Amino acid sequence: MKSNYLLLSALLLSMSSYAQQITVNFEEYEPKSTLVVPEHITTKAKFPFIDVHNHQWNLHEEKENLDKLITDMNALNMKLMVNLSGRGWTSDEAKSTQTLTKQIEQIKQYYPSRFAVFTNIDFANINTKGWTEKAVKTLEEDVKLRGAKGLKIYKNLGFSVKDGDKLVRVDDPRLDPIWKKAGELGIPVLIHTADPERFWQPVDRFNERWLELKLHPDRKRNAGEKSNDFTWEQLIEQQHNVFKKNPKTNFIAAHMGWYPNNLPKLDSLMDEMPNMYVEIGAVIAELGRQPHTAKRFFEKRQDRILFGKDSWVPSEYATYFRVLETNDEYFPYHKKYHAFWRMYGLGLSDGILKKVYYKNALKLIPGLDKSQFPE
């Protein structure tokens, strides 16, 4: 009897030890698929492309920075990069003007056909007298005198820009002359408003962004929880109010306007607002999990979708190329906290790829060198 007890105890201890050895959590779990299907790892775009959503902070410094960028761009088949951070990230007007001017001058001197620069608006003193008139004048000078090709609005408008202790709305009337001036100048406005809707939801087992919010808790939004922040719905509505009030200005909604997971809704919005364009930066994971719906959307809206990436990590472009160009099945995204699911290729036609990769950008952004792109 005693020997049976000892044997059972040893068995239980062994099982317990084994169970501890195989315990993994969600962050660690990364199974290798046993699925055998064709694979087309695509590290270089099929056609030359324009990235309309990039941020570079040192183009105004040493030429070596430009040289390194060009090497990486060539490896990807990126013929033109749009730097949206033309004025850097400072409220020092003289410094930001110098940054914008110098990087445009450096580009013209060394690689005039490979870069375009967008300017920005500093909202820090929006409550001061004459701010609107000054902002409009600066925008006009940035385009006509300094060579900026568009206007980028950061998401701080709606998140942190304040007039006293009150958040400034995206559709604040004081900004109306800026949107109007952009239209008169013939430049697009690439605007980032809000973030993924799930950032406003409880961080629980039902939230698809649970891991991202766990790893980056600062991304959680708390509107309605003893906070004066705008809700996701309010921010999106404010952005759309701007689009509707300015039909002669072309707007590029960053990150597909945060509707990449609801393409039927985005489709209806683009019907409603003909001046609304979208770019795919940081949302390829949403497109790659709905290949049939996404492909139909691209086929219908092929004239109003632009290629964008956002963060500058050259190795991550491969996911974009593979989703857009191939018919591959069940392949991983490059960041688990963005997408714990697998991707599927859309297999877009050459005609649509050319529009997304460069034709739509050439149509919207003035003064780009078209000679480096095929018909």
Side-chain angles (χ1 to χ4, degrees):
M1 188 75 174
K2 185 176 180 181
S3 62
N4 289 341
Y5 174 77
L6 291 174
L7 182 62
L8 178 61
S9 297
L11 180 61
L12 289 173
L13 283 171
S14 175
M15 292 173 62
S16 174
S17 175
Y18 179 70
Q20 290 175 4
Q21 291 176 26
I22 65 171
T23 297
V24 296
N25 58 36
F26 179 70
E27 293 98 314
E28 298 169 330
Y29 185 58
E30 194 68 42
K32 292 185 177 180
S33 174
T34 60
L35 188 66
V36 179
V37 290
E39 293 185 319
H40 302 86
I41 309 301
T42 310
T43 59
K44 187 173 185 177
K46 185 175 184 179
F47 300 106
F49 71 98
I50 298 171
D51 183 348
V52 303
H53 191 150
N54 211 288
H55 297 282
Q56 299 292 332
W57 307 98
N58 58 1
L59 295 188
H60 60 293
E61 297 173 358
E62 294 80 8
K63 177 179 178 291
E64 286 73 17
N65 296 324
L66 287 172
D67 295 339
K68 176 62 169 63
L69 268 179
I70 289 295
T71 299
D72 291 336
M73 290 164 61
N74 288 343
L76 298 169
N77 203 17
M78 184 193 300
K79 289 297 183 182
L80 197 147
M81 174 189 286
V82 177
N83 181 27
L84 299 179
S85 306
R87 283 185 164 268
W89 191 256
T90 176
S91 288
D92 184 328
E93 184 180 1
K95 186 175 180 180
S96 67
T97 299
Q98 183 183 38
T99 297
L100 177 70
T101 302
K102 190 170 181 181
Q103 69 173 284
I104 292 176
E105 288 177 349
Q106 287 238 110
I107 288 166
K108 285 182 178 179
Q109 181 177 357
Y110 299 114
Y111 298 104
S113 66
R114 302 299 298 275
F115 297 94
V117 181
F118 278 28
T119 187
N120 314 109
I121 299 291
D122 178 17
F123 300 102
N125 300 307
I126 192 172
N127 59 347
T128 60
K129 185 178 180 181
W131 179 88
T132 298
E133 292 77 12
K134 184 178 180 181
V136 169
K137 183 174 183 290
T138 299
L139 173 61
E140 186 165 20
E141 290 176 348
D142 284 352
V143 174
K144 290 185 175 181
L145 302 181
R146 301 182 184 102
K149 303 297 185 183
L151 172 64
K152 166 62 162 64
I153 302 297
Y154 295 112
K155 65 181 178 180
N156 63 330
L157 180 62
F159 273 170
S160 59
V161 175
K162 290 188 175 183
D163 183 348
D165 60 353
K166 187 177 180 181
L167 280 173
V168 174
R169 294 171 57 95
V170 179
D171 57 357
D172 189 294
R174 287 171 290 188
L175 306 180
D176 287 346
I178 295 174
W179 315 132
K180 181 180 178 182
K181 177 56 67 174
E184 292 172 353
L185 292 169
I187 60 168
V189 178
L190 196 153
I191 179 170
H192 178 168
T193 302
D195 268 335
E197 184 179 8
R198 287 297 179 182
F199 286 5
W200 279 259
Q201 303 301 318
V203 186
D204 57 23
R205 63 194 178 100
F206 301 110
N207 194 325
E208 281 189 320
R209 295 277 182 161
W210 176 86
L211 181 57
E212 181 173 1
L213 293 169
K214 180 174 184 269
L215 296 174
H216 302 278
D218 57 306
R219 298 181 184 180
K220 177 70 173 71
R221 299 294 168 181
N222 300 304
E225 299 175 13
K226 298 181 180 180
S227 167
N228 293 320
D229 291 351
F230 295 120
T231 65
W232 185 84
E233 292 81 5
Q234 287 172 329
L235 287 168
I236 297 300
E237 181 183 17
Q238 291 169 23
Q239 184 194 74
H240 295 169
N241 286 342
V242 171
F243 296 174
K244 293 172 185 176
K245 286 197 298 183
N246 298 274
K248 295 183 179 180
T249 302
N250 290 321
F251 293 91
I252 305 170
H255 314 296
M256 297 189 86
W258 295 123
Y259 277 108
N261 59 327
N262 189 350
L263 295 178
K265 175 63 175 179
L266 180 57
D267 183 59
S268 68
L269 291 170
M270 295 178 81
D271 271 337
E272 189 177 352
M273 296 172 282
N275 59 332
M276 177 186 185
Y277 294 75
V278 297
E279 57 87 19
I280 62 174
V283 296
I284 198 69
E286 296 289 355
L287 302 174
R289 66 168 169 169
Q290 49 173 334
H292 303 300
T293 298
K295 185 172 185 176
R296 288 193 296 270
F297 180 83
F298 272 73
E299 288 172 345
K300 181 176 181 180
R301 298 299 182 186
Q302 58 186 273
D303 296 316
R304 292 164 65 185
I305 305 171
L306 293 86
F307 185 96
K309 167 70 172 61
D310 198 355
S311 61
W312 176 239
V313 184
S315 63
E316 294 178 352
Y317 282 80
T319 307
Y320 286 73
F321 305 152
R322 197 173 180 187
V323 169
L324 297 175
E325 297 180 17
T326 79
N327 288 301
D328 282 4
E329 299 176 282
Y330 202 75
F331 55 90
Y333 185 63
H334 49 261
K335 286 181 182 176
K336 183 178 178 180
Y337 71 78
H338 274 172
F340 52 85
W341 53 81
R342 292 295 191 256
M343 306 286 100
Y344 298 83
L346 309 188
L348 297 177
S349 69
D350 287 357
I352 294 176
L353 282 173
K354 289 178 181 179
K355 288 182 179 181
V356 173
Y357 276 158
Y358 62 89
K359 286 188 175 182
N360 293 338
L362 292 175
K363 177 178 64 176
L364 273 185
I365 304 172
L368 304 185
D369 181 3
K370 300 180 181 180
S371 66
Q372 54 192 332
F373 300 96
E375 288 297 323

